[in-house]
Amino acid sequence: MEETNLISKKELLEITGISYGQLYRWKRKKLIPEQWFIKKSSFTGQETFFPKEEILSRIEKIKTFKDDISLDELANIFSPNLSNISLEKKDVSEQNIVSQSILNLYNNIYPKIEKFSFNELLFMTIVDKFLISGLISLEEGSLILNTLKENYENFDGRYCDVVLIRKLGVAMCFLMLIPNELYIESKASLVLKVNAGECTEDLKSKLSL
C-alpha cells in the first residue's frame, strides 16, 4: 500500500476525536480488523498506521451506530462469518458482483464450480480490477487467479497486495504482505498492483455485509 493511502495512529486520533482507549477497545471487540493495524519502522522506533479510507469510514460508521446498538451487534455487522457465504453463478451475475468477463474466465478454468465461496468471489473481484484496467490479457488474468487460489490462504486473513510484473513479455504474479516496498530490475516493469484488503471491503459492501 502506498504511503499516501496510510494514516498514522496519531493523525487518526486527532482527525476522528476518539481516544487511544476507544481505538483499542474497538479492536478487541473486532469492530476494527487486526490486519488494519500496520506496524512500520520510523525514526522514533515503530509506528502504527492504518489504511486511510477504510479506517476513517469504519470509525464514522461506529460513531454513527454505537448509541443505537451494542458493540457486539456492531461486530457481527462488520465481521460476519464469511465462511457461510455461498452464491450461485446466476446470483453473482444478476447482482453484478463481478463482470461477465471474469465470470466467463472463471467458468473456463473451473467449469464444475456452481456455487462461489467468499474467497472465490474475492479472487474474481481482484482479477476484475486487473481486467478493467485494460493493462492485462485474459491469459494473465488466469495467472493471477491461479496464484490467488494457490497462495492466498497462506496469509491467514492478513491484507496483501497482488502484484503483476512483466519482463520481456512474460508476466509474473505474486502476493506481498502490507506494508511493503517493491523494487524491480530495470528490464522488468510493474503492470499493476491491487490491494486485496480494499477489494475485500468493496465485496462486503456489494454483498451488504
Side-chain angles (χ1 to χ4, degrees):
M1 184 175 292
E2 304 295 336
E3 291 287 344
T4 54
N5 293 331
L6 296 177
I7 184 172
S8 71
K9 180 169 61 181
K10 180 181 178 182
E11 291 176 300
L12 178 67
L13 299 181
E14 289 176 351
I15 290 173
T16 60
I18 65 172
S19 68
Y20 177 95
Q22 279 179 304
L23 177 65
Y24 281 88
R25 184 184 180 207
W26 293 345
K27 177 188 178 184
R28 290 194 302 273
K29 286 288 187 178
K30 301 188 184 303
L31 300 181
I32 300 175
E34 173 76 33
Q35 57 266 33
W36 287 7
F37 289 72
I38 300 168
K39 302 290 186 182
K40 288 175 66 72
S41 297
S42 69
F43 66 91
T44 57
Q46 196 174 60
E47 272 192 80
T48 300
F49 292 81
F50 303 86
K52 187 173 183 177
E53 290 185 14
E54 290 93 331
I55 190 69
L56 289 176
S57 174
R58 177 63 56 87
I59 287 178
E60 185 62 33
K61 289 177 182 176
I62 294 171
K63 290 168 71 175
T64 299
F65 295 116
K66 69 181 179 65
D67 293 331
D68 299 319
I69 59 179
S70 70
L71 294 184
D72 288 333
E73 289 173 311
L74 270 176
N76 289 331
I77 293 172
F78 293 138
S79 303
N81 188 351
L82 302 179
S83 63
N84 292 334
I85 292 173
S86 178
L87 283 185
E88 295 185 2
K89 285 181 182 178
K90 63 179 182 65
D91 294 324
V92 175
S93 179
E94 289 173 0
Q95 295 176 37
N96 293 317
I97 304 298
V98 294
S99 71
Q100 193 60 47
S101 296
I102 183 59
L103 272 175
N104 293 339
L105 177 63
Y106 201 94
N107 188 57
N108 289 336
I109 302 173
Y110 310 104
K112 294 183 179 180
I113 296 180
E114 292 297 328
K115 289 187 176 182
F116 300 119
S117 67
F118 182 86
N119 272 1
E120 286 166 330
L121 292 170
L122 174 60
F123 300 159
M124 286 192 285
T125 299
I126 292 170
V127 178
D128 220 8
K129 277 193 176 269
F130 279 94
L131 291 174
I132 290 171
S133 73
L135 298 173
I136 72 164
S137 65
L138 287 176
E139 183 179 352
E140 290 170 336
S142 299
L143 169 66
I144 298 167
L145 199 53
N146 287 328
T147 302
L148 285 163
K149 286 184 74 72
E150 291 173 6
N151 299 286
Y152 185 75
E153 289 187 357
N154 294 329
F155 288 85
D156 194 27
R158 295 171 295 172
Y159 282 178
C160 65
D161 281 330
V162 184
V163 181
L164 188 76
I165 65 173
R166 203 178 284 134
K167 179 181 178 181
L168 302 176
V170 178
M172 291 169 280
C173 178
F174 50 94
L175 312 183
M176 298 176 62
L177 271 180
I178 297 172
N180 59 60
E181 293 183 12
L182 180 63
Y183 301 93
I184 57 178
E185 61 174 300
S186 58
K187 292 182 180 179
S189 60
L190 173 65
V191 180
L192 192 63
K193 181 168 67 169
V194 171
N195 182 272
E198 293 175 0
C199 290
T200 298
E201 296 307 311
D202 287 346
L203 179 57
K204 284 182 181 180
S205 177
K206 289 181 180 179
L207 296 173
S208 299
L209 298 177

